[in-house]
C-alpha cells in the first residue's frame, strides 16, 4: 500500500487535503509528500512513521534523542552523510543504526565492513532527525575539552548579544549534548553551571557531593545557557528573572527528564539541571536499603486503612523516592490513589498525579481539598508546609483515608513538635499520625577497593562502641574515580506511634524527651542504623558521621 493510502487509512490525511496537494504537485512539480508538508497537512515525521510501518521496520523519532558520542567511531562522517545513517545505540555486540532507507543493502554491507560489527540492526528515522544527530556529534572535535579549545579559537564572542544564533552553532550544540551525556554516564543527579568573573564553572553532584567537572571561558557562557534555554523552551531574552523549564530526552531507549532552573547572579545566570532517569527509579521497598525492622514497620503501616505516615529529612535525603516506592507497593486496580506534588518527579502507573500550580490556585492545601472530592483511598501530599495543609491532611486521615507526606525535620520525633509549632492542635496530631520515618542517604563503599581497618579508639567512642572491631573504608580506584564510594543507600529511624507517644504529644512534651522514650521502647536511631550498615561494610563510619552530625 502506498504511503498516501496508509495516511488516508489512518486518518492522518483527508481526501480533500490530498486533492489540494495534487494540485500543488501539478503547479510546482514537487513530490506529493513535499507538497503535503509544504501545505502544513502533515510533517516529515508522520510520513516516515507510516513508511516504516509499511515495510515492517521500527520507527524512531530522533528529535530529542541523545547518543553516546563514542558511537561515531563506528561510522565515519562521510559514510554517515552519504547514506543518511546515524548510530543510535550499541548493546553488547549489536549496533543499532537509524537510516532514512533501512532497505539499502549496499549501505548496510558497507557499515558492517567499516565498523567491524556483523550484527547491525536498523530503525527508520527522518532525514532531518538523522542530520541533527550528524551535525551534533560529528566533526573535528570529540571531547568536551577539545570542543572548548576549538571554541576559544573561534570568534564565538562576536555572537555575544546574539544568543539565539550562538546557541545553534554545531560546536555549542555538541558541547551541551556531551555535558548531559557525560553526566548520565557518571550517574550525576544535578549539573551546576556557575558563571564567575572570568570563567564558567561546571560542577556535578554525584552521590550527594558536588565535584568540579569543567571550567569554560566566560565568553561561552551566554551561548551555552541559551542552548539550554532553547531545549527547555525558556525565554532566551529574559535574564533578570528566575525561570523554570523541562527537557525530555531519549537516551539508549531510556527516558530522561531534566528539570532546569535559572537564577540571576552578579556574573550572569546560574543554571541547575536536575537529571531524572526514569529507569533508575527505585520502585520496591526492599530496594531502599532499609533495615529489616524498619522495612517491616513501613510495610505494615502503608497497608493500614487510614492515618498519616510521614517521611522526614533534609532536601535530597530520598523522601520522595521512599513515598513513591510505598505507593507502587500498595497500588492496585481496587484502590484510588491520588497525589499532589511540587514537582511531579516521575510518572507512576495506576496513580493519578497532580502538579502544584499557584497560578491556577492549586496549592497543597487547595489541591488536597479537591482530591478529597475525588473519592480517594490513598493520598500523597508532597510536603506539609503550613498549618492549613497539615489540618486538611489530618481531617483526611480522620475521615478514613491513608495519607502519605513529608516534613523537613532532622529526626522522626521532631516531626510531632513541628506540627504543634505550625499551630495544629496536639490531640489532632496524636489521633491521626500513625508512623514517622526519618532518613538520610549515605554513600556506599566501592566494592572493588573496599578495605577493612580498625578505627581509632576515640572514633569508636563517638559511636558508643567499646570493643575494637573492624570497619571498612574505600581506598579509591578507577571504578569509583578515586572517591572510595559508588552509589547511595538510606539509613533510617522509625517511630511507631503508640499510646505512650500519643500521651506525650497531647502533653506537648519536647522532641528530645519523646526520642528518649521511643529509644527505650526499641526505636533504633539514624546513627545506630548507620553504625550497623558500617559494620556490615556497606558504608564508612566517617560517612555516617557526616550525615548524622547534629542529630
Amino acid at each position: 500500500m502506498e504511503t498516501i493510502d496508509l495516511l488516508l487509512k489512518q486518518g492522518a490525511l483527508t481526501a480533500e487535503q490530498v486533492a489540494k496537494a495534487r494540485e500543488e504537485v501539478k503547479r510546482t512539480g514537487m513530490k506529493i509528500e513535499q507538497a503535503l508538508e509544504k501545505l502544513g497537512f502533515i510533517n516529515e515525521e508522520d510520513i516516515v512513521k507510516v513508511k516504516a510501518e509499511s515495510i515492517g521496520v521500527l520507527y524512531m523519532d530522533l528529535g530529542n534523542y541523545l547518543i553516546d558520542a563514542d558511537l561515531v567511531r563506528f561510522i565515519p562522517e562521510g559514510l554517515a552523510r552519504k547514506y543518511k545513517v546515524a548510530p543510535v545505540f550499541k548493546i553488547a555486540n549489536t549496533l543499532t543504526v537509524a537510516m532514512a532507507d533501512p532497505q539499502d543493502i549496499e549501505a548496510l554491507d558497507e557499515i558492517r565492513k567499516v565498523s567491524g560489527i556483523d550484527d547491525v540492526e536498523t530503525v527508520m528515522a527522518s532525514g532531518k532527525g538523522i542530520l541533527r544527530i550528524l551535525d551534533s556529534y560529528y566533526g573535528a572535535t570529540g571531547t568536551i575539552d577539545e570542543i572548548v579549545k576549538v571554541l576559544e579559537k573561534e570568534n564565538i564572542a562576536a555572537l555575544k548579544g546574539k544568543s539565539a544564533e550562538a546557541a545553534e552553532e554545531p560546536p555549542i550544540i555538541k558541547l551541551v549534548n556531551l555535558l548531559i551525556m557525560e553526566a548520565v554516564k557518571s550517574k550525576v543527579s544535578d549539573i551546576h553551571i556557575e558563571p564567575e568573573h572570568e570563567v564558567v564553572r561546571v560542577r556535578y553532584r554525584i552521590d550527594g557531593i558536588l565535584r568540579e567537572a569543567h571550567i569554560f571561558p566566560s565568553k561561552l557562557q551566554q551561548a551555552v545557557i541559551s542552548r539550554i534555554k532553547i531545549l527547555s523552551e525558556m525565554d532566551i531574552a529574559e535574564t533578570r528573572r528566575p525561570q523554570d523549564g523541562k527537557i525530555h530526552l531519549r537516551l539508549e531507549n531510556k527516558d530522561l527528564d531534566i528539570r532546569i532552573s535559572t537564577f540571576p547572579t552578579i556574573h550572569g545566570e546560574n543554571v541547575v539541571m536536575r537529571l531524572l532517569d526514569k529507569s533508575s527509579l527505585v520502585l520496591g521497598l526492599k530496594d531502599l536499603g532499609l533495615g529489616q525492622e524498619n522495612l517491616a514497620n513501613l510495610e505494615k503501616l502503608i497497608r493500614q486503612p487510614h492515618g498519616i505516615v510521614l517521611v522526614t529529612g533534609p532536601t535530597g535525603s530520598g523522601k520522595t523516592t521512599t513515598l513513591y516506592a510505598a505507593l507502587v507497593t500498595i497500588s492496585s486496580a481496587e484502590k484510588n490513589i491520588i497525589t499532589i506534588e511540587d514537582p511531579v518527579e516521575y510518572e507512576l502507573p495506576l496513580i493519578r498525579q497532580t502538579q502544584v500550580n499557584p497560578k491556577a490556585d492549586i496549592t497543597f492545601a487547595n489541591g488536597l481539598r479537591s482530591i478529597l472530592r475525588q473519592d480517594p483511598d490513598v493520598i500523597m501530599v508532597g510536603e506539609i508546609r503550613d498549618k492549613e495543609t497539615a489540618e486538611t491532611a489530618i481531617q483526611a486521615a480522620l475521615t478514613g483515608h491513608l495519607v502519605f507526606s513529608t516534613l523537613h525535620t532532622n529526626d522522626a520525633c521532631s516531626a510531632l513538635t513541628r506540627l504543634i509549632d505550625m499551630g495544629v492542635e496536639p490531640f489532632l496530631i496524636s489521633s491521626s499520625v500513625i508512623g514517622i520515618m526519618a532518613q538520610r542517604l549515605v554513600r556506599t563503599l566501592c566494592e572493588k577497593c573496599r578495605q577493612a581497618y580498625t578505627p581509632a579508639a576515640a572514633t569508636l567512642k563517638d559511636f558508643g562502641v567499646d570493643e575494637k572491631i573492624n570497619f571498612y573504608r574505600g581506598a579509591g580506584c578507577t571504578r569509583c574515580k578515586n572517591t572510595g564510594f559508588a552509589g547511595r543507600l538510606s539509613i533510617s529511624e522509625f517511630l511507631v506511634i503508640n499510646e505512650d507517644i500519643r500521651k506525650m504529644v497531647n502533653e506537648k512534651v519536647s522532641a528530645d524527651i519523646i526520642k528518649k522514650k521511643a529509644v527505650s521502647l526499641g526505636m533504633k536511631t539514624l546513627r545506630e542504623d548507620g553504625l550497623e550498615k558500617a559494620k556490615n561494610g556497606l558504608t564508612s563510619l566517617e560517612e555516617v558521621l557526616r550525615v548524622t552530625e547534629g542529630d
Side-chain angles (χ1 to χ4, degrees), residues 150-163 166 169 172 217-223:
V150 169
L151 287 169
E152 283 187 277
K153 293 177 183 177
E154 293 181 359
N155 197 22
I156 295 296
L159 290 172
K160 200 167 184 178
K162 300 179 180 179
S163 53
E169 289 287 314
I172 293 295
S218 58
K219 69 179 182 180
L220 300 184
Q221 172 184 332
Q222 196 169 351

Side-chain angles (χ1 to χ4, degrees), residues 533-549:
K533 287 181 168 66
K535 285 180 179 178
N536 292 330
L538 299 175
T539 189
S540 69
L541 281 176
E542 291 78 10
E543 183 68 3
V544 174
L545 184 62
R546 180 181 70 84
V547 301
T548 62
E549 202 163 13

Side-chain angles (χ1 to χ4, degrees), residues 81-101:
R81 292 190 184 277
K82 176 182 177 182
Y83 292 113
K84 288 188 179 179
V85 57
V88 286
F89 56 87
K90 182 177 181 289
I91 299 175
N93 294 319
T94 301
L95 176 67
T96 299
V97 298
M99 300 181 70
D101 181 8

Side-chain angles (χ1 to χ4, degrees), residues 28 32 38 40 77 108 176 228 244 257 354 358 411 424 450 462 467 470 511 546:
T28 64
I32 189 166
K38 179 187 174 184
E77 183 175 4
L108 283 170
V176 173
I228 294 168
D244 295 303
D257 284 333
T354 308
D411 61 17
V424 181
R450 183 180 62 183
D462 287 341
E467 56 181 327
N470 281 343
R546 180 181 70 84

Side-chain angles (χ1 to χ4, degrees), residues 227-283:
R227 179 62 193 166
I228 294 168
K229 283 185 169 183
I230 288 172
L231 289 171
S232 54
E233 299 182 348
M234 291 186 189
D235 185 352
I236 296 179
E238 180 57 74
T239 60
R240 296 174 297 175
R241 295 179 181 175
Q243 293 189 67
D244 295 303
K246 192 174 184 179
I247 303 171
H248 176 74
L249 297 171
R250 291 277 292 164
L251 173 66
E252 294 183 356
N253 281 350
K254 294 192 299 185
D255 284 317
L256 178 69
D257 284 333
I258 306 177
R259 289 209 317 264
I260 313 294
S261 171
T262 68
F263 190 79
T265 71
I266 59 172
H267 296 300
E269 290 178 284
N270 196 82
V271 178
V272 176
M273 308 169 67
R274 169 150 291 187
L275 280 62
L276 304 171
D277 181 357
K278 294 183 179 181
S279 66
S280 67
L281 176 63
V282 174
L283 289 180

Side-chain angles (χ1 to χ4, degrees), residues 219-464:
K219 69 179 182 180
L220 300 184
Q221 172 184 332
Q222 196 169 351
V224 169
I225 292 174
S226 294
R227 179 62 193 166
I228 294 168
K229 283 185 169 183
I230 288 172
L231 289 171
S232 54
E233 299 182 348
M234 291 186 189
D235 185 352
I236 296 179
E238 180 57 74
T239 60
R240 296 174 297 175
R241 295 179 181 175
Q243 293 189 67
D244 295 303
K246 192 174 184 179
I247 303 171
H248 176 74
L249 297 171
R250 291 277 292 164
L251 173 66
E252 294 183 356
N253 281 350
K254 294 192 299 185
D255 284 317
L256 178 69
D257 284 333
I258 306 177
R259 289 209 317 264
I260 313 294
S261 171
T262 68
F263 190 79
T265 71
I266 59 172
H267 296 300
E269 290 178 284
N270 196 82
V271 178
V272 176
M273 308 169 67
R274 169 150 291 187
L275 280 62
L276 304 171
D277 181 357
K278 294 183 179 181
S279 66
S280 67
L281 176 63
V282 174
L283 289 180
L285 290 180
K286 292 180 181 179
D287 299 321
L288 295 173
L290 299 175
Q292 191 171 356
E293 187 177 341
N294 286 345
L295 177 61
N297 283 330
L298 184 58
E299 285 185 325
K300 181 180 179 182
L301 287 181
I302 65 174
R303 298 185 189 282
Q304 296 301 306
H306 54 79
I308 296 179
V309 177
L310 295 172
V311 180
T312 77
T315 300
S317 58
K319 300 185 297 295
T320 301
T321 299
T322 296
L323 289 183
Y324 277 173
L327 290 176
V328 171
T329 299
I330 63 172
S331 68
S332 69
E334 290 78 34
K335 287 184 179 178
N336 183 19
I337 302 176
I338 307 178
T339 76
I340 175 78
E341 307 172 54
D342 185 24
V344 174
E345 294 193 1
Y346 295 96
E347 295 178 16
L348 305 175
L350 276 178
I351 295 170
R352 266 59 63 198
Q353 296 172 266
T354 308
Q355 167 77 48
V356 164
N357 184 358
K359 291 181 181 178
D361 201 29
I362 302 177
T363 61
F364 279 125
N366 290 342
L368 181 52
R369 278 193 289 270
S370 297
I371 286 172
L372 289 171
R373 296 191 286 272
Q374 291 286 306
D375 185 32
D377 297 297
V378 182
I379 304 167
M380 176 184 131
V381 183
E383 183 184 348
I384 293 177
R385 296 175 179 172
D386 51 45
K387 178 183 178 181
E388 186 181 12
T389 306
E391 289 184 337
T392 309
I394 286 170
Q395 290 302 321
L398 294 176
T399 52
H401 303 89
L402 183 62
V403 181
F404 298 155
S405 192
T406 71
L407 272 176
H408 283 279
T409 61
N410 287 333
D411 61 17
C413 298
S414 296
L416 297 169
T417 53
R418 174 64 60 84
L419 291 171
I420 292 173
D421 291 341
M422 286 181 181
V424 181
E425 291 293 338
F427 75 91
L428 290 175
I429 300 168
S430 63
S431 56
S432 60
V433 178
I434 58 176
I436 305 168
M437 187 175 82
Q439 69 178 58
R440 300 284 190 282
L441 292 178
V442 295
R443 291 179 293 171
T444 51
L445 289 171
C446 173
E447 292 182 0
K448 189 174 180 181
C449 63
R450 183 180 62 183
Q451 297 176 345
Y453 78 108
T454 302
T459 303
L460 292 173
K461 188 177 180 181
D462 287 341
F463 282 87

